Amino acid sequence: MTQNILITGAAGYIGGSILADFLSRTSSPIKDSRIYATVRSEEQAQRLSKIDGVNVIQVDLSDEASVSEAVLRNEIDIVLHIASSMATQLAANLINALGERRKASGAQTYFVQSSVTALLSIEGGWPYGEVKDTDAIFEKEKEIGGPNPVRQTNILVTELAKAQGVTSFNVALPHVYGTGSGEWSKLSSSIPTYVRTSIAHKQVYKFDVEGRPPAVHISDLVSLYALLTTKILQKEPMPSGEQGHYFGFNHRSPYWAVMDRIATSLHARGLVADASVKTWPSYKMAAEAMSLPELYIRAMCTSTGDLVPVNAYKIGWQPEWTEERYLADIDAEVQAALDLDMIKSSRYDTLLSAEK
Ligand SMILES: NC(=O)c1ccc[n+]([C@@H]2O[C@H](COP(=O)([O-])OP(=O)(O)OC[C@H]3O[C@@H](n4cnc5c(N)ncnc54)[C@H](OP(=O)(O)O)[C@@H]3O)[C@@H](O)[C@H]2O)c1
């Protein structure tokens, strides 16, 4: 039976890249599924509707009634929720709608949440040290509790999905890099932000702490979502619900080495005064310069975290990029940021508005 998959945030960097990959598939089972994609604006809807094979839904995911109507009318069985890691209401609306769909069809429904690895570092409020994605993360996140909207959303997803009889999965996203293949936004967050800020200040700045956050190339991340979706479609048993954590990274991003390479690239293009890297005088100044929330800037920019990915490899993930390849490609990342950085991202709106 054909199953219907909904990708949220399909005009975004990650959602758009997953959509492009799914539509290019020539083999079962993804090829045999109907693909739906949500976007927020009319302009995005018009642009994505020109692509063959996708059913575009223009919806604000915070509108509960519209989300329910879209999921039920289009008989959605699987939601890959990429639009937001931190807006709790969006995840709740989608899971409640999948619960209704399950009752109406009598068939199992699935929800994949996209979370954030930085949450599992000291700076992200994780006091337990090393963490594997096979550990009891849900219980520990509940113990930590607190106002962090990503953590609140993770907890809600697991609990609400269980209550609604929806099978849930949680993919923790690291620093994602590489040019996306989506129709709308093709850029990630970190490197374009550093490039933009450095040009504005004619100087590259780093933080006083050398973080080595988890990292993944967009093509490898897309292949993980494709693998998860394939296994869901084939009804293969996999860790889900309270055990359903998948750390989506395979190497690290050495922060100071990255900033050195950005400085070299920008200086070679005459965009900064020299190729040196200075240290931000304060975190407050850095947050303002980069339009990032001061409350979370350490977690976002200087955290490392002792995370060990297990589950993604267990289901057969085979990422191709390495730390060496990533560092060798920073100049191309800088060029992509210069060529493509024209779409204002709403990624951190939830965090920035929570801070006000
Ligand atoms: N990129 C990374 O390196 C990274 C790392 C860790 C976690 N994440 C998280 O992963 C998620 C996706 O990342 P991304 O880089 O793909 O972000 P993105 O490029 O900003 O894409 C998110 C998309 O979701 C849409 N969206 C947001 N709220 C919506 C709503 N209420 N209704 C309908 N659509 C909505 C946005 O619409 P508009 O175009 O209208 O704004 C945007 O097109 C984000 O939550 C991000 O924080 C990303």
Side-chain angles (χ1 to χ4, degrees):
M1 195 182 76
T2 304
Q3 296 198 66
N4 296 344
I5 302 170
L6 176 69
I7 301 168
T8 72
Y13 168 62
I14 300 171
S17 302
I18 294 172
L19 175 64
D21 177 81
F22 281 20
L23 294 175
S24 72
R25 297 255 155 183
T26 51
S27 59
S28 302
I30 291 178
K31 175 185 167 292
D32 304 330
S33 305
R34 253 184 239 111
I35 309 291
Y36 293 80
T38 72
V39 298
R40 189 152 47 175
S41 75
E42 173 67 29
E43 204 186 348
Q44 292 166 347
Q46 282 182 9
R47 177 94 79 85
L48 268 73
S49 295
K50 291 184 183 143
I51 311 171
D52 277 350
V54 62
N55 305 280
V56 177
I57 303 171
Q58 186 189 345
V59 65
D60 185 333
L61 296 166
S62 63
D63 179 343
E64 186 175 5
S66 301
V67 170
S68 172
E69 197 268 334
V71 167
L72 293 175
R73 179 166 42 84
N74 297 301
E75 303 184 334
I76 302 297
D77 309 296
I78 301 167
V79 171
L80 304 186
H81 182 39
I82 322 293
S84 178
S85 305
M86 54 199 108
T88 311
Q89 191 58 46
L90 311 195
N93 292 345
L94 289 158
I95 294 169
N96 283 330
L98 282 174
E100 289 300 309
R101 163 73 183 147
R102 185 186 65 80
K103 284 184 207 141
S105 69
Q108 191 51 45
T109 53
Y110 304 86
F111 182 81
V112 181
Q113 171 65 10
S114 306
S115 181
V116 176
T117 53
L119 201 64
L120 302 172
S121 64
I122 292 173
E123 296 82 354
W126 180 261
Y128 304 108
E130 186 194 270
V131 53
K132 296 191 176 81
D133 49 13
T134 46
D135 290 345
I137 295 175
F138 170 71
E139 284 82 355
K140 287 184 169 156
E141 289 215 295
K142 283 204 70 164
E143 266 170 42
I144 299 167
N148 186 309
V150 181
R151 181 162 286 119
Q152 284 182 354
T153 306
N154 283 346
I155 294 169
L156 170 123
V157 164
T158 309
E159 291 183 335
L160 185 60
K162 188 174 181 187
Q164 288 283 12
V166 175
T167 304
S168 68
F169 304 90
N170 184 309
V171 180
L173 302 178
H175 159 65
V176 191
Y177 63 91
T179 302
S181 51
E183 184 61 28
W184 188 264
S185 174
K186 294 184 196 304
L187 280 186
S188 190
S189 44
S190 305
I191 292 181
T193 301
Y194 298 143
V195 167
R196 203 181 308 124
T197 311
S198 302
I199 293 172
H201 290 78
K202 298 248 177 295
Q203 173 68 53
V204 178
Y205 285 95
K206 65 181 180 184
F207 289 94
D208 52 352
V209 176
E210 157 77 300
R212 284 180 53 81
V216 74
H217 189 271
I218 182 70
S219 59
D220 286 329
L221 182 64
V222 165
S223 78
L224 176 58
Y225 278 95
L227 190 61
L228 260 178
T229 307
T230 300
K231 305 265 173 202
I232 292 170
L233 289 166
Q234 290 171 333
K235 309 263 184 292
E236 282 190 33
M238 288 184 289
S240 63
E242 293 177 14
Q243 283 77 45
H245 294 268
Y246 295 78
F247 294 167
F249 77 95
N250 66 312
H251 67 82
R252 296 277 171 173
S253 171
Y255 175 67
W256 284 358
V258 170
M259 299 316 287
D260 281 342
R261 281 164 176 75
I262 290 176
T264 304
S265 292
L266 289 178
H267 185 242
R269 290 167 175 81
L271 296 170
V272 291
D274 59 58
S276 70
V277 179
K278 290 197 174 134
T279 302
W280 283 112
S282 75
Y283 281 77
K284 185 177 172 45
M285 188 186 287
E288 278 171 13
M290 293 194 275
S291 296
L292 295 177
E294 193 184 345
L295 187 59
Y296 297 112
I297 197 163
R298 283 171 199 266
M300 292 169 86
C301 298
T302 69
S303 66
T304 296
D306 195 359
L307 295 87
V308 183
V310 178
N311 277 330
Y313 291 106
K314 268 194 187 162
I315 64 167
W317 189 39
Q318 294 180 321
E320 293 178 355
W321 281 68
T322 60
E323 183 172 320
E324 293 68 36
R325 189 172 167 195
Y326 163 59
L327 286 175
D329 208 48
I330 294 291
D331 190 64
E333 292 282 311
V334 169
Q335 190 58 48
L338 295 171
D339 292 342
L340 299 168
D341 194 7
M342 77 290 270
I343 295 170
K344 188 189 173 303
S345 172
S346 62
R347 274 181 199 98
Y348 305 126
D349 285 1
T350 306
L351 295 181
L352 287 163
S353 62
E355 206 174 43
K356 280 178 191 150

